[in-house]
Every structure is written in C-alpha cells, then in structure tokens.
Amino acid sequence: MEKKKVLIVDDQNGIRILLMEVFGSEGYETFQAANGKIALEIVEKEPPDLVLLDMKIPGMDGLEILKHLKSMNPDIKVIMMTAYGELDMIKEATELGALMHFTKPFDIDEMRIAVNKQLRGD
C-alpha cells in the first residue's frame, strides 16, 4: 500500500521538523516547505493527500496558498495552522475548503488524531 503524503507548510523551521517527525512516525511520507512557492512546486511533483498550512507565511500567505492548492486539486485536504485568533481569515479559509484549523501552540496529539482521521478514517 502506498504511503499517504503529508505536506507541512510553515515558515518556522522548528514546527516543520516537529510535525515531520510526528507524521513520519505515524507512517506518512512527509514533505516540507518554508513558503508558498516551494509548497506549490512540491504539490505539482508529489501531490500530497493532506496539507498542514500555516496562515502567516511571508510572501504568499496561507489563504493565497490555499486558493492555489484548491485550483490545482479541488480534493486536496487542508488543515490550517494559525498563531493568531484571526477569525475572519479562518472563516475565509473554511469557505475556501480548509477542513479545520489549529491555533498555535497546538496540542500535537489532537493534530495527530485529526490527521489520522482525515487520512485513515479512524
């Protein structure tokens, strides 16, 4: 069975490394991107099953990246991460097709459970 792919998009290196370790140990193939440009290049080459996407990224913000992701693949699953209580942005992200969001600092177990639920249906 082919491994499910998880793409982690965050400008904070520590968060990318943490999430790659967590989801790698869950048996997923993980990819990381520090910005929108790299994220979209990865999506073209290695279409992920799920994207963990930070809302605040220098350059192209999370909503812009989300729009691009959905135009490339309308079925792609996206979970937003935000360090701020930006309710208007979260609402817009949901309208654009994000499944849910986690506010930083998030509970890593809750995120692991949410991702497993989306990708394995458990």
Side-chain angles (χ1 to χ4, degrees):
M1 199 176 102
E2 201 177 314
K3 280 185 171 185
K4 297 270 189 187
K5 296 175 185 170
V6 176
L7 170 60
I8 296 144
V9 186
D10 198 308
D11 60 320
Q12 294 179 342
N13 189 43
I15 289 177
R16 291 197 312 273
I17 289 169
L18 171 71
L19 293 174
M20 286 185 69
E21 281 178 12
V22 168
F23 294 112
S25 70
E26 287 289 307
Y28 299 114
E29 190 174 349
T30 57
F31 299 87
Q32 63 168 322
N35 61 49
K37 184 176 178 293
I38 297 168
L40 298 175
E41 287 169 6
I42 291 170
V43 170
E44 276 181 23
K45 291 189 196 107
E46 295 278 354
D49 298 286
L50 186 138
V51 180
L52 292 168
L53 177 57
D54 189 29
M55 195 78 87
K56 281 284 186 192
I57 296 179
M60 204 186 302
D61 74 11
L63 290 175
E64 280 182 76
I65 298 167
L66 178 59
K67 287 174 191 165
H68 285 292
L69 291 173
K70 287 292 186 179
S71 69
M72 293 164 82
N73 175 0
D75 299 326
I76 200 163
K77 294 180 175 190
V78 181
I79 294 176
M80 302 301 291
M81 300 181 288
T82 175
Y84 316 89
E86 297 139 335
L87 292 173
D88 51 338
M89 284 180 85
I90 290 163
K91 184 173 178 283
E92 190 176 343
T94 306
E95 287 166 2
L96 290 168
L99 298 167
M100 61 180 68
H101 76 279
F102 283 89
T103 305
K104 294 176 184 174
F106 42 77
D107 181 317
I108 200 71
D109 285 327
E110 282 180 21
M111 184 177 278
R112 191 172 45 79
I113 290 164
V115 169
N116 285 338
K117 192 172 179 182
Q118 292 299 330
L119 293 179
R120 297 182 186 150
D122 55 39

